[in-house]
Amino acid sequence: MVPHLTTALNGPLLSLEKKMLDAMPKIEHWFRTQWLEYASPFYASVDLRNSGFKLAPVDTNLFPGGFNNLNPDFLPLSVQAAMVAVEKICPEAHRLLVIPENHTRNTYYLRNVYELVNILKQAGLDVRVGSISPEITEPAELETHDGHTLLLEPVVRIGNRIKLINKTLGDFDSCAILLNNDLSAGIPEILKNLEQDLIPPLHAGWSTRRKSQHFSAYNRVAKEFAELLGIDEWLLNPYFETCGEIDFHARTGEECLALKVAQLLEKIKIKYAQYGVTQEPFVIVKADAGTYGMGIMTVKSPDDVRDLNRKARNKMSVVKEGLQVSEVIIQEGVYTFESINDAVAEPVVYMMDHFVIGGFYRVHTGRDVDENLNAPGSHFVPLAFEKPCTLPDCAGAPDAAPNRFYAYGVVARLALLAAAIELQEQDPLNQ
């Protein structure tokens, strides 16, 4: 079933989607030439926001954790994409070791790992899950929220390889290691200087990666793509600024942040006037590294930054794994005017290699159209369109379901290309 989706559509976005449909052969050719130059990440998910006048990515995750929320009908797409992705990195691959996050008590996250393993097994790989968590000292069978079981085995390092040692199942030595762990807490010693292929590479983790680097790369991608289509790149691209050396507890760097917020709001105001947008401009201030919807706030005035109370400062100062926030990205806020059953929604698109394999709506009944939805209380509705995201109906209306999803897939792939450029430029071997 297609989710009953309500979108406040108006001129610019419908026009943008129509241009994408009309230019589909040109767009696909352009992407093909880009993938000859840049190696696509193994997998990624992109959070999009659709404001009715703008369709833009607001976050790109290189360690996606929601495979359990994808539409099961699209499993064949995932399996084919996984085959291509594995062949590129390790053509001889027979075995693959998956290393998940350490939070093994999150049964929904475990269900994601279970589904990821299922996709890789269907792609013809022998897959086992190895944990680097100090809590897992012997093989442990964990149960997902819906009753599936997942075997986690402790990882052992021998020389420059990591393996699983198991008397019952036999030892496991793999050609490649797939990380589903975003390394927020830093790079553990056990993963350093391995001779096995690590997918994604260590520099894709949040211990080194920065959102501002990603969106700098996205600026270049969006500019080139906008020129290709003859459109204003702002329709696809959120403005952003950065502020380093901030300490929310000590209240240092506050003025720098307030000044950047004021400048960004002014730029957005000019664009809103140009397109006749009557909503109030806002920005999102968030940690430049990290995920899980932590360290994020909506700001509509520089005074919002200056007047933070202690509770808000505490919330902004720490992200996942208890890491202190010292650098923030100030990103143009993009309203989401999509809703499912009166709850605010935003699309999340999943990709393997450079193929769109599906996605879902992140839905939140307790949040507003200008707030971050990646927060406790959100739930997920699969993007269960009748056709995969790559098959638009060029004869249909721009906002017909497959066409809406084609536009999502195009913008998500622009963000994926930006991630490919970012990873190539941040690779220590290229420094």
Side-chain angles (χ1 to χ4, degrees):
M1 289 291 291
V2 177
H4 181 67
L5 180 69
T6 312
T7 309
L9 279 172
N10 57 28
L13 191 59
L14 269 177
S15 157
L16 174 67
E17 292 185 333
K18 186 167 185 336
K19 278 200 164 131
M20 284 187 189
L21 289 174
D22 292 345
M24 184 194 167
K26 195 198 292 190
I27 289 170
E28 296 306 322
H29 173 261
W30 181 81
F31 271 122
R32 283 194 296 275
T33 59
Q34 298 298 318
W35 296 126
L36 289 173
E37 195 173 339
Y38 299 103
S40 171
F42 183 87
Y43 55 9
S45 65
V46 176
D47 295 359
L48 299 175
R49 302 277 285 203
N50 177 355
S51 65
F53 54 85
K54 180 169 186 150
L55 176 62
V58 292
D59 217 352
T60 301
N61 187 357
L62 296 178
F63 302 86
F67 282 93
N68 52 313
N69 298 316
L70 300 181
N71 178 3
D73 291 350
F74 292 166
L75 179 63
L77 277 181
S78 305
V79 171
Q80 283 187 313
M83 285 176 171
V84 173
V86 170
E87 278 168 19
K88 277 188 185 171
I89 290 156
C90 192
E92 306 293 311
H94 172 54
R95 298 188 182 96
L96 190 67
L97 177 63
V98 175
I99 295 183
E101 295 279 359
N102 289 347
H103 43 251
T104 51
R105 291 186 182 86
N106 183 335
T107 57
Y108 287 87
Y109 172 73
L110 290 177
R111 183 66 178 82
N112 150 73
V113 178
Y114 178 90
E115 194 53 46
L116 178 58
V117 168
N118 179 44
I119 291 167
L120 296 166
K121 281 182 174 174
Q122 301 249 21
L125 292 162
D126 184 1
V127 186
R128 279 168 55 186
V129 183
S131 176
I132 55 173
S133 167
E135 289 179 14
I136 304 291
T137 54
E138 56 187 53
E141 269 208 345
L142 304 177
E143 195 167 305
T144 68
H145 67 95
D146 55 355
H148 293 284
T149 56
L150 187 70
L151 178 68
L152 259 66
E153 302 172 70
V155 166
V156 177
R157 179 155 177 159
I158 299 168
N160 286 340
R161 299 183 75 81
I162 56 175
K163 305 178 182 182
L164 304 178
I165 308 294
N166 190 316
K167 286 176 185 168
T168 312
L169 293 177
D171 298 348
F172 192 79
D173 185 0
S174 63
C175 148
I177 295 141
L178 180 64
L179 294 175
N180 198 245
N181 180 320
D182 66 20
L183 308 176
S184 288
I187 300 170
E189 286 299 320
I190 198 168
L191 296 181
K192 290 179 180 173
N193 305 312
L194 293 175
E195 60 188 51
Q196 290 144 302
D197 286 311
L198 272 174
I199 321 165
L202 293 175
H203 65 274
W206 285 124
S207 51
T208 50
R209 187 176 177 233
R210 295 291 176 269
K211 293 175 184 179
S212 51
Q213 290 166 349
H214 173 72
F215 281 100
S216 292
Y218 185 77
N219 277 349
R220 285 139 56 193
V221 169
K223 184 174 188 296
E224 189 176 330
F225 182 79
E227 285 169 2
L228 180 81
L229 253 63
I231 58 169
D232 179 354
E233 74 168 279
W234 178 77
L235 297 172
L236 303 165
N237 193 4
Y239 291 137
F240 80 93
E241 280 285 353
T242 56
C243 210
E245 302 304 313
I246 190 156
D247 185 329
F248 284 99
H249 280 312
R251 306 194 71 162
T252 56
E254 219 171 67
E255 268 315 306
C256 153
L257 185 54
L259 179 66
K260 296 277 179 78
V261 164
Q263 290 169 343
L264 210 50
L265 286 170
E266 199 50 47
K267 274 178 83 172
I268 302 164
K269 215 172 272 181
I270 292 165
K271 276 295 179 188
Y272 276 22
Q274 182 184 334
Y275 283 95
V277 177
T278 55
Q279 280 79 28
E280 185 183 1
F282 71 101
V283 297
I284 298 288
V285 176
K286 54 187 173 183
D288 203 7
T291 179
Y292 281 84
M294 299 171 78
I296 295 181
M297 63 178 173
T298 300
V299 173
K300 294 190 173 177
S301 149
D303 290 339
D304 292 351
V305 174
R306 296 188 185 103
D307 299 340
L308 283 182
N309 60 30
R310 182 180 294 175
K311 185 180 172 189
R313 288 203 307 274
N314 287 344
K315 195 175 136 214
M316 285 301 296
S317 62
V318 177
V319 289
K320 188 181 163 197
E321 306 282 2
L323 292 181
Q324 295 295 312
V325 174
S326 61
E327 303 164 82
V328 295
I329 180 170
I330 307 126
Q331 189 178 55
E332 175 188 346
V334 182
Y335 284 94
T336 178
F337 289 144
E338 295 189 292
S339 61
I340 292 174
N341 299 331
D342 298 325
V344 179
E346 67 185 10
V348 183
V349 176
Y350 270 58
M351 289 156 291
M352 263 192 172
D353 197 77
H354 60 270
F355 304 102
V356 177
I357 58 168
F360 51 82
Y361 279 100
R362 183 184 284 121
V363 185
H364 206 302
T365 52
R367 292 282 170 118
D368 215 333
V369 293
D370 59 356
E371 290 185 288
N372 164 50
L373 304 188
N374 187 5
S378 62
H379 65 278
F380 306 98
V381 177
L383 288 172
F385 295 119
E386 301 95 331
K387 297 179 180 178
C389 355
T390 46
L391 294 176
D393 173 8
C394 294
D399 58 340
N403 296 344
R404 165 60 31 86
F405 203 27
Y406 178 67
Y408 287 167
V410 168
V411 177
R413 283 183 288 161
L414 293 176
L416 183 74
L417 177 56
I421 294 169
E422 168 202 358
L423 286 181
Q424 185 170 304
E425 291 181 349
Q426 300 303 322
D427 189 335
L429 297 176
N430 296 333
Q431 300 298 318

